[in-house]
Amino acid sequence: MLAASAAAQSPQDALLQKVDDHYNHLASLRARYREHYTGMGMDRSESGTLLLKKPGRMAWHYDVPAGKLFVFDGKFAWFYTPGDPQAQKIPAKQMDDLHTPLRFLLGHTQLKKELDQIKVTPVGTEFRITGIPKGMQQRIHQLGLQVTPEGLITAMQVEEIDGAKTEFTFTEMKENIPATNADFQFTPPPGVTIITGAPPI
């Protein structure tokens, strides 16, 4: 029965299932990333190291610009840029940030349930999965995931309703590496105050 069920899957559904299975079985992930943003008169490229750990934890350590930090501990997100007198603290329920679509990398996802209007197209030796994340229709025009035939996500593109675009590319990915909850704790530097509010663009 299982073999018959698998055989009945369309190529699109089979690829979506591979992506789901790959990330649902991960415990942690570390990767190098490059983030490119265009919009609101800006054209900005940043890069650094991303660390993910189930359940629901992520830490973005920027080396360009050096010291910038985005940490999500499962309950709160923290944003800090060196030199700023304040760091932002955002409750998880209020998160409306473009890092949050990366919950796909944290597993416990089913792309067919997470995205509307899904399309899959070949891109060289890889595939591009596009759709609209449920619950973010008022902000995101389209989310694109570039994946290998094995279901590994190598890039993510977010197109916002206002025309702004953000692209993440991932390299040097290492899966199931040691990670503790302490890796996702934020301690403000001396003299830096914590405010609750929306993060900067």
Side-chain angles (χ1 to χ4, degrees):
M1 293 295 293
L2 289 176
S5 176
Q9 275 191 321
S10 69
Q12 173 173 304
D13 287 348
L15 180 64
L16 298 177
Q17 188 65 54
K18 283 185 179 181
V19 177
D20 290 343
D21 289 345
H22 186 92
Y23 290 96
N24 288 341
H25 287 87
L26 282 186
S28 61
L29 172 70
R30 182 171 61 223
R32 291 287 302 168
Y33 69 87
R34 181 177 181 273
E35 179 180 342
H36 183 216
Y37 172 86
T38 55
M40 299 185 68
M42 292 184 284
D43 188 332
R44 181 181 67 210
S45 293
E46 301 176 322
S47 61
T49 300
L50 167 65
L51 180 64
L52 303 173
K53 179 180 181 293
K54 291 182 182 178
R57 291 172 169 81
M58 61 175 67
W60 300 71
H61 295 274
Y62 290 75
D63 47 36
V64 179
K68 183 178 176 180
L69 184 67
F70 165 58
V71 177
F72 186 56
D73 63 10
K75 294 182 179 179
F76 296 97
W78 309 82
F79 297 82
Y80 177 66
T81 300
D84 285 357
Q86 299 174 326
Q88 285 79 33
K89 175 184 178 182
I90 314 293
K93 293 181 180 180
Q94 297 178 18
M95 281 295 294
D96 182 20
D97 177 77
L98 295 184
H99 293 89
T100 55
L102 284 167
R103 66 183 181 277
F104 298 131
L105 301 181
L106 293 168
H108 299 296
T109 184
Q110 289 181 281
L111 289 177
K112 291 183 68 173
K113 292 185 178 180
E114 296 275 359
L115 300 175
D116 289 325
Q117 301 179 31
I118 294 177
K119 295 181 181 178
V120 176
T121 55
V123 179
T125 60
E126 299 186 341
F127 296 90
R128 178 176 168 83
I129 300 169
T130 59
I132 304 173
K134 294 182 186 295
M136 298 188 77
Q137 296 92 335
Q138 299 303 311
R139 180 173 183 183
I140 296 181
H141 170 67
Q142 181 175 268
L143 171 71
L145 300 174
Q146 188 155 325
V147 304
T148 67
E150 295 75 32
L152 182 68
I153 297 172
T154 59
M156 183 180 81
Q157 305 85 28
V158 182
E159 299 179 23
E160 298 183 64
I161 296 295
D162 63 6
K165 296 182 180 180
T166 306
E167 180 173 6
F168 301 91
T169 55
F170 306 104
T171 58
E172 301 177 37
M173 289 174 275
K174 298 183 184 298
E175 301 179 348
N176 297 321
I177 51 90
T180 68
N181 290 348
D183 295 321
F184 305 90
Q185 294 177 350
F186 175 73
T187 302
V192 173
T193 57
I194 301 294
I195 63 170
T196 299
I201 293 174

